[in-house]
Amino acid sequence: MKKITLSLKSYIVLVIILAVLGIINVFLPQGSFLPSQELPASKPVLALVNAATMFILYGGLGFLGLKLSQKLGFANIWDVKVTNKQRFLIPALIGIGLGAIFIIIDSIFSQFHSLGSLPHPPFPTSIVASAVAGIGEEIIFRLFFISFWVWLISYVILKKKYQNRIFWIITIFSAFAFATGHLPSVMMFFNLSTINELPSVLLYEIMLINGILSVFAAYYFRKYGFFAPVGIHFWADIIWHVIWGAI
């Protein structure tokens, strides 16, 4: 029987943490971040559905992405060539810096439309939400999305050619998909029915903030392994959503 690698063990632990946090999040106050409406099922049922989705869907797609990223030669989760400073400290510092930049961007852009600043989950939900986003969104938009499409286009279709060019093209598409995925929650918060009601300045801000995060996460994912984008995303959200959101 083939021995389970440390990288795979670490990935499994991350998925388990994601599933557990998905359960906890259901029972935490959501404040005005989500519209108040009757739940489609009881909270325990929603918690179990949440956990199953995280574990099966996110876990399965991420596992595929992990295997494909290894085929492409991306840094593994516990790559021996990557130091813990590169794996944890540098991403944390980048995330903190990005969080501060997001605060500045929002403070400027919010002056040019009537809806005000972007919404934040209430504390302490914001802490759990930061961890869920840091793991879950990075699994989908970096570990799976980038690895799959770079593998399919560069490795399979183009016979292992132009990987670097394809990587950056896919990174741009990943950033666009990631930013677009945040539009529904913003629209719900501001009680908007269609995207046409969203001020252009606010739309640009959402695309800019999430695009910047995506590019940094993608670059360091390939260079330092999957812990790096998780760290960048988590610490950016801690500054942006947890600390700034509580002020």
Side-chain angles (χ1 to χ4, degrees):
M1 184 176 178
K2 193 174 181 180
K3 186 178 178 181
I4 299 178
T5 64
L6 181 57
S7 289
L8 182 55
K9 289 178 182 177
S10 299
Y11 174 71
I12 293 171
V13 169
L14 283 175
V15 173
I16 292 173
I17 292 172
L18 177 65
V20 171
L21 291 176
I23 292 174
I24 295 172
N25 191 56
V26 172
F27 297 96
L28 292 175
Q30 302 299 320
S32 58
F33 188 68
L34 292 178
S36 57
Q37 57 186 31
E38 187 176 345
L39 296 174
S42 65
K43 285 189 175 183
V45 171
L46 290 175
L48 289 175
V49 171
N50 229 13
T53 301
M54 301 291 191
F55 196 78
I56 297 172
L57 180 61
Y58 282 61
L61 290 176
F63 178 75
L64 175 60
L66 183 64
K67 291 300 181 182
L68 294 178
S69 70
Q70 292 169 353
K71 275 185 174 291
L72 292 167
F74 293 3
N76 212 340
I77 293 179
W78 282 105
D79 200 302
V80 294
K81 297 177 183 178
V82 178
T83 65
N84 284 331
K85 177 182 177 182
Q86 295 168 325
R87 189 178 288 118
F88 298 114
L89 179 59
I90 292 176
L93 293 175
I94 291 171
I96 291 169
L98 289 179
I101 291 172
F102 297 164
I103 293 170
I104 296 171
I105 290 174
D106 188 51
S107 298
I108 295 172
F109 276 65
S110 63
Q111 302 300 312
F112 295 94
H113 61 83
S114 60
L115 295 180
S117 299
L118 283 170
H120 305 281
F123 184 86
T125 308
S126 54
I127 298 176
V128 175
S130 296
V132 168
I135 300 172
E137 291 179 353
E138 292 309 313
I139 284 177
I140 296 300
F141 291 101
R142 252 60 71 181
L143 184 58
F144 170 72
F145 190 101
I146 290 179
S147 299
F148 175 77
W149 288 108
V150 173
W151 168 79
L152 180 64
I153 297 173
S154 174
Y155 196 91
V156 176
I157 297 176
L158 299 179
K159 308 297 183 184
K160 304 181 183 181
K161 295 179 181 178
Y162 312 114
Q163 185 188 115
N164 190 57
R165 294 180 189 177
I166 299 301
F167 170 81
W168 285 111
I169 293 171
I170 298 302
T171 292
I172 298 302
F173 278 102
S174 171
F176 180 78
F178 178 67
T180 303
H182 286 78
L183 293 178
S185 61
V186 174
M187 290 172 63
M188 283 192 295
F189 178 82
F190 289 118
N191 198 27
L192 304 177
S193 301
T194 66
I195 195 170
N196 291 331
E197 298 176 65
L198 202 65
S200 298
V201 175
L202 182 57
L203 179 60
Y204 296 150
E205 180 186 351
I206 294 169
M207 303 304 286
L208 178 61
I209 286 176
N210 290 289
I212 292 172
L213 177 64
S214 295
V215 170
F216 274 90
Y219 174 77
Y220 285 99
F221 160 54
R222 182 170 70 160
K223 188 173 183 178
Y224 292 153
F226 185 60
F227 274 132
V230 171
I232 290 172
H233 197 148
F234 174 74
W235 286 107
D237 277 5
I238 288 293
I239 299 299
W240 167 231
H241 287 307
V242 179
I243 297 177
W244 182 248
I247 296 176

